[in-house]
Amino acid sequence: MSHPVLPRTRTASPRTGPAPAPRGRIGAGFSPVPHRYHLYLRADCLPSQQVTAALTALGLADSITATVLGADPDSTGYTALRLAYEATGHHFDGALTVPALVDTWSGRVVSDHTPDILDDLRFLAGHPAFRAGA
């Protein structure tokens, strides 16, 4: 007697609360490796300007890439940032926030909390792997 094979279907469960904010930290779950991280910023955003200034002042501009998002929410930069948020939180349906630090290895947002991003940049600047000539 044969048994019918039923197709597997998945229905997305509705979110019962807001999407959790990504609050990872480099050194605690994310390894301090040059060229692993990418920043999403906006030129007209004060926190993004602070992160940009820190990136330059700490000498990390050659080992951490950045995308400055423009006004067009349909641009490839916004699409890439949306994908990073979706990789971070299943069924992410929240707003995209900048600055955002993204782990390019996993495609996930590490953090979009400016004080944590600035602390992580200082941590990376002092790490042997990020020192000049390393």
Side-chain angles (χ1 to χ4, degrees):
M1 175 177 194
S2 68
H3 296 284
V5 176
L6 300 175
R8 287 186 173 188
T9 59
R10 290 186 181 202
T11 17
S13 299
R15 184 175 297 286
T16 57
R23 294 291 296 267
R25 297 301 301 267
I26 296 175
F30 293 93
S31 301
V33 178
H35 311 289
R36 178 175 178 170
Y37 298 98
H38 187 81
L39 285 162
Y40 286 90
L41 309 162
R42 277 192 56 109
D44 61 351
C45 166
L46 182 59
S48 290
Q49 293 168 4
Q50 293 171 326
V51 169
T52 300
L55 192 66
T56 302
L58 295 169
L60 296 171
D62 290 336
S63 48
I64 298 176
T65 57
T67 297
V68 179
L69 301 171
D72 180 10
D74 294 327
S75 70
T76 58
Y78 279 97
T79 300
L81 182 57
R82 166 68 62 194
L83 291 173
Y85 270 97
E86 288 174 358
T88 304
H90 188 60
H91 297 300
F92 178 84
D93 57 0
L96 303 182
T97 304
V98 294
L101 179 64
V102 173
D103 171 27
T104 62
W105 291 3
S106 68
R108 299 181 322 179
V109 175
V110 174
S111 180
D112 60 6
H113 185 66
T114 304
D116 288 354
I117 292 171
L118 292 170
D119 283 346
D120 284 348
L121 293 178
R122 285 188 285 275
F123 172 77
L124 292 176
H127 194 275
F130 284 80
R131 292 197 183 118

